[in-house]
Amino acid sequence: MEMSAVPAVKGRPREFCVDRALAAALGVFWSKGYEGASMADLTGAMGITKPSLYAAFGNKEALFHKALDLYESEKLEYTRAALKQPTARAVAEHFMRGAIDAQMSSCDPKGCLGVISATACGAEAESIKADVIQRRDSSQAALVERFEQAQREGDLPAHVDVPGLTSYLYAILQGMAVQAGSGATRADLERVVETSLTMWPSN
């Protein structure tokens, strides 16, 4: 883990774990959203002073982008594994079941950071929304490419609208995230997955 020395009260250097502090900030953003997270919330959870936060991470906006990097690298590992599944249906199932595991984690707030933050509004949140949308578009493009490969291999019927199928899967994933944030149980979300898989196009 990266360690950072930053000035503390009375000029004495204070070391803290940047990765741990960033994980704490991620938890605040995840539970409160970008706009709902105050600097007091962030510094309190991270265990550092406001000057230390600015010195190590920049402003709140820069901190959020770094937290989003952490979210993608740690929380969304299942999306990379999903793309390696042998069939398009298995890809979709891995995406949905991985999302359930992430959303039902006992150590994280429920829901999805991307959904929470993409709904932010106001001038300050525009770059946040743009970043979330850009990352989602990149992820969707990778999924479209994987489904197109499946179509070329005869795993998906030729008549299937691949971009439409991808958007459909993302709508399910985002809906599950919203439901998880509203108190849905694992059984509730598993039912959504099972129903979605029964409607998956087959040859």
Side-chain angles (χ1 to χ4, degrees):
M1 288 186 175
E2 181 185 353
M3 301 295 289
S4 176
V6 295
V9 179
K10 298 183 181 176
R12 291 189 308 182
R14 174 173 178 234
E15 287 197 349
F16 68 91
C17 175
V18 170
D19 290 345
R20 191 174 298 121
L22 193 55
L26 173 59
V28 174
F29 283 129
W30 198 338
S31 61
K32 298 195 172 189
Y34 177 73
E35 291 175 315
S38 70
M39 291 301 288
D41 292 330
L42 292 164
T43 54
M46 297 166 76
I48 60 176
T49 63
K50 193 181 290 188
S52 295
L53 186 153
Y54 287 131
F57 302 104
N59 60 15
K60 178 183 174 184
E61 182 180 328
L63 176 63
F64 180 84
H65 291 300
K66 289 180 174 123
L68 202 54
D69 288 337
L70 179 66
Y71 174 68
E72 288 197 333
S73 65
E74 291 190 357
K75 313 296 182 188
L76 300 185
E77 175 59 33
Y78 71 87
T79 64
R80 289 179 282 277
L83 292 171
K84 299 174 184 176
Q85 299 304 303
T87 66
R89 189 180 189 278
V91 168
E93 182 171 7
H94 199 91
F95 257 98
M96 290 187 284
R97 297 202 186 281
I100 290 177
D101 288 340
Q103 291 157 5
M104 292 290 108
S105 170
S106 61
C107 60
D108 293 316
K110 303 295 185 277
C112 171
L113 185 64
V115 171
I116 293 165
S117 300
T119 57
C121 58
E124 186 186 23
E126 282 306 310
S127 73
I128 298 300
K129 190 184 296 186
D131 188 16
V132 170
I133 291 171
Q134 180 182 12
R135 290 172 193 247
R136 186 183 65 211
D137 287 348
S138 174
S139 178
Q140 282 191 244
L143 194 54
V144 166
E145 185 176 329
R146 176 63 185 85
F147 286 161
E148 286 176 341
Q149 174 191 335
Q151 203 168 44
R152 290 192 299 272
E153 294 171 349
D155 178 42
L156 272 179
H159 70 270
V160 169
D161 172 9
V162 168
L165 183 64
T166 304
S167 295
Y168 166 75
L169 179 57
Y170 263 80
I172 293 170
L173 292 168
Q174 289 170 341
M176 287 167 57
V178 172
Q179 289 183 4
S182 300
T185 65
R186 176 179 284 271
D188 293 332
L189 300 181
E190 291 281 3
R191 195 174 301 114
V192 172
V193 173
E194 294 300 331
T195 301
S196 301
L197 290 173
T198 64
M199 295 188 285
W200 192 257
S202 58
N203 290 309

